Amino acid sequence: MKFKPSLGLGLMLGIALSLPVSLMHTVWADKEQAASLPLDELRTFTDVYARIKKEYVTEVEDSELLKNAIRGMLSGLDSHSSFLDAEQFHDLQIGTTGEFGGLGIEVGMENGFIKVIAPIDDTPAQQAGVQAGDLIIKLDGESVKGLDLQEAVRRMRGKIGSTIELTIVREGEDMPLQMAITRAMIRVHSVRSRMLEPGFGYVRISNFQSKTTSALHEAIESLETENKGELKGLVLDLRNNPGGLLTGAVGVSDVFLQDNALIVYIKGRAGDSELKYSASTNDLLDGAPLVVLINQGSASASEIVAGAMQDHDRATVLGVTSFGKGSVQTILPLKDNTALKLTTARYYTPSGRSIQDAGIVPDILLKSAKDSEDKETDDHGVGDTAKELLQDDAGEAPVPSHDPASVVILPERGEDDSTDYELDEALKHLKAMAQPPAAGHAAGLTPGDQLSKVDEQDIQ
């Protein structure tokens, strides 16, 4: 499959230095540079540096102070930008191979704690009961406050068969939870599929890898073979999908859209940093109804897919508002095998909505009966005792892209109830959309319109 980007965006940035052609040029450049520097702030920095070197209780190496200063400078930008020392850079490269020893969770930072974006399917974390939205406040009894994200990830990884204890704050739980999890080899399988009932297929994408698009093609072909004909409809399950490769998200979106349909565009600070991706094939399902399932663990690349389907009215999105990870991080190698992970751009849906912080609001919001009745949690969604552990204000919630067309209250789940009520609801809506045209359709309405699908409002 071949994608059609409109403008190039460099993934690796560098600065070229050359010797001055003359002494006068050097002096002039130095004056210009000095004029642009925040001299008062730099004097404060050097004063603090000198005080630490002279008066701190123990001696601190210059290299350690400077690395910490760099880390602090980057952590103040956002939770995704960071400095990677040689070991952390190596760990990052290992993590992108798709196979490593660890727990199997995608994480970010929130208010100094580790936030679970999503557990990965069939991993120790998922099997232990870790959930999207959990806040990890301690690792083996030690607070994670003060750790950057890369250091927290390094501590959670380790020798296969070794155990780590997580202390977790969870929505609706008054007291922190303790979980002992045994590390294992993490191998991520991207695409799974099955028939829900004759005519209606189900595809689960757990994350986006280089082969996800081809695996999706194979899954749909397999479903059509099993169905002995074209599908009447498909559920695309992106719940707890933490993202992955941009090309994977573009390829999956391309499977369901018509040629030349805009999928996503990326815009950064530089004037030439905009990159657009459009579909280059035609809809593989030939317009058959599509329902996309999302939840709070759906992030980044999965939000790109859900946003593209929503903006083009190609699918009905069901679930709860997604995570809201719409920024692009570029890895910038530095000397001594270190690197800078820096936020350089943001994703935008075809209609121009920013995914960052706002997430994708579903067309049909699914709520449990317990969530509808429970009014005892605060804005963080945690109980009073756990709330005391969250000292920082999370700030105002982002403005949603639109209000859901409807809200569905799901049945209350019993202790031994393993029913996937979200999937049941998705199939119900899929079957309704696949019904023969009614009177409303004859008047020019689509099956999606009959479900009261709302128009999106752009957020710039």
Side-chain angles (χ1 to χ4, degrees):
M1 182 171 294
K2 190 175 181 180
F3 309 127
K4 297 186 289 190
S6 62
L7 292 173
L9 175 66
L11 295 181
M12 296 296 183
L13 306 179
I15 299 176
L17 300 178
S18 60
L19 292 174
V21 295
S22 69
L23 179 61
M24 182 178 293
H25 176 79
T26 303
V27 173
W28 183 258
D30 288 344
K31 286 183 178 180
E32 284 187 331
Q33 184 178 20
S36 65
L37 292 175
L39 297 180
D40 288 341
E41 288 79 3
L42 286 174
R43 290 189 187 99
T44 302
F45 175 83
T46 55
D47 186 27
V48 171
Y49 187 92
R51 295 292 181 90
I52 292 173
K53 289 289 292 181
K54 181 180 179 181
E55 300 181 24
Y56 186 65
V57 63
T58 60
E59 287 190 15
V60 186
E61 293 291 333
D62 290 332
S63 59
E64 190 66 22
L65 280 175
L66 291 172
K67 283 181 181 179
N68 288 336
I70 293 171
R71 288 190 178 102
M73 180 167 54
L74 289 163
S75 66
L77 299 175
D78 58 61
S79 61
H80 304 293
S81 297
S82 62
F83 172 75
L84 308 177
D85 61 26
E87 183 179 2
Q88 292 168 333
F89 189 23
H90 177 68
D91 288 344
L92 178 67
Q93 292 169 314
I94 291 175
T96 58
T97 63
E99 188 172 285
F100 54 91
L103 306 180
I105 48 177
E106 180 80 10
V107 295
M109 295 297 289
E110 182 174 289
N111 300 323
F113 297 111
I114 304 167
K115 183 170 185 178
V116 177
I117 298 175
I120 300 172
D121 290 350
D122 299 325
T123 62
Q126 187 198 49
Q127 293 161 3
V130 176
Q131 298 179 8
D134 283 350
L135 288 179
I136 302 172
I137 61 173
K138 292 182 180 180
L139 298 173
D140 280 335
E142 295 185 13
S143 174
V144 301
K145 274 284 191 179
L147 297 182
D148 61 26
L149 185 59
Q150 295 300 323
E151 175 62 20
V153 169
R154 188 189 66 78
R155 293 192 184 187
M156 285 187 284
R157 288 181 181 163
K159 186 178 179 181
I160 295 171
S162 61
T163 299
I164 185 172
E165 184 176 79
L166 308 184
T167 303
I168 287 174
V169 170
R170 176 174 295 168
E171 177 182 346
E173 297 287 344
D174 187 54
M175 299 295 294
L177 307 174
Q178 306 290 335
M179 292 186 184
I181 305 177
T182 301
R183 297 178 178 93
M185 178 62 72
I186 306 301
R187 295 183 178 91
V188 181
H189 302 283
S190 181
V191 178
R192 296 179 180 179
S193 62
R194 60 185 171 90
M195 292 298 298
L196 296 174
E197 58 180 65
F200 298 96
Y202 168 86
V203 172
R204 159 79 179 152
I205 300 180
S206 59
N207 75 327
F208 292 90
Q209 302 173 354
S210 59
K211 297 182 180 180
T212 296
T213 303
S214 59
L216 176 60
H217 275 270
E218 292 172 4
I220 293 176
E221 290 172 4
S222 177
L223 291 173
E224 290 179 337
T225 298
E226 184 178 348
N227 190 56
K228 298 180 180 179
E230 293 184 351
L231 298 174
K232 296 179 182 179
L234 182 73
V235 174
L236 179 63
D237 189 352
L238 300 180
R239 291 174 296 177
N240 291 332
N241 181 324
L245 296 179
L246 171 63
T247 51
V250 170
V252 167
S253 300
D254 198 352
V255 168
F256 303 112
L257 295 175
Q258 295 297 328
D259 188 23
N260 290 320
L262 179 62
I263 295 171
V264 65
Y265 67 93
I266 304 170
K267 186 165 60 175
R269 182 177 175 184
D272 60 349
S273 65
E274 184 169 319
L275 176 67
K276 293 185 177 181
Y277 284 94
S278 298
S280 60
T281 61
N282 288 317
D283 183 1
L284 190 62
L285 294 181
D286 197 25
L290 179 67
V291 170
V292 177
L293 270 174
I294 62 171
N295 66 2
Q296 67 271 24
S298 305
S300 192
S302 57
E303 293 174 295
I304 289 174
V305 175
M309 298 302 104
Q310 197 175 59
D311 279 4
H312 287 293
D313 292 323
R314 177 60 188 92
T316 299
V317 180
L318 271 72
V320 298
T321 302
S322 61
F323 185 81
K325 166 66 168 65
S327 58
V328 182
Q329 280 69 50
T330 300
I331 305 300
L332 310 173
L334 305 173
K335 65 177 184 178
D336 300 328
N337 295 318
T338 61
L340 190 65
K341 185 171 76 168
L342 191 65
T343 299
T344 55
R346 287 186 175 176
Y347 297 125
Y348 294 85
T349 71
S351 67
R353 291 182 291 157
S354 173
I355 297 170
Q356 184 66 23
D357 294 329
I360 299 297
V361 178
D363 302 308
I364 300 175
L365 180 64
L366 303 182
K367 297 182 68 175
S368 69
K370 182 179 183 297
D371 289 340
S372 300
E373 297 172 1
D374 187 6
K375 303 297 182 182
E376 300 301 320
T377 57
D378 71 348
D379 290 339
H380 292 288
V382 298
D384 292 335
T385 302
K387 180 172 61 176
E388 296 174 3
L389 298 168
L390 303 174
Q391 298 296 326
D392 298 321
D393 186 3
E396 295 184 3
V399 178
S401 54
H402 70 282
D403 293 325
S406 61
V407 177
V408 175
I409 306 300
L410 302 176
E412 188 171 353
R413 192 185 304 277
E415 273 188 34
D416 300 323
D417 189 354
S418 60
T419 305
D420 190 339
Y421 290 113
E422 292 86 358
L423 180 56
D424 287 350
E425 195 66 31
L427 178 59
K428 182 192 302 182
H429 284 276
L430 190 65
K431 292 168 71 174
M433 294 165 66
Q435 292 297 317
H441 187 59
L445 298 176
T446 68
D449 292 323
Q450 294 174 36
L451 287 174
S452 301
K453 203 171 174 188
V454 298
D455 293 330
E456 281 77 29
Q457 298 174 356
D458 292 351
I459 293 181
Q460 299 296 336

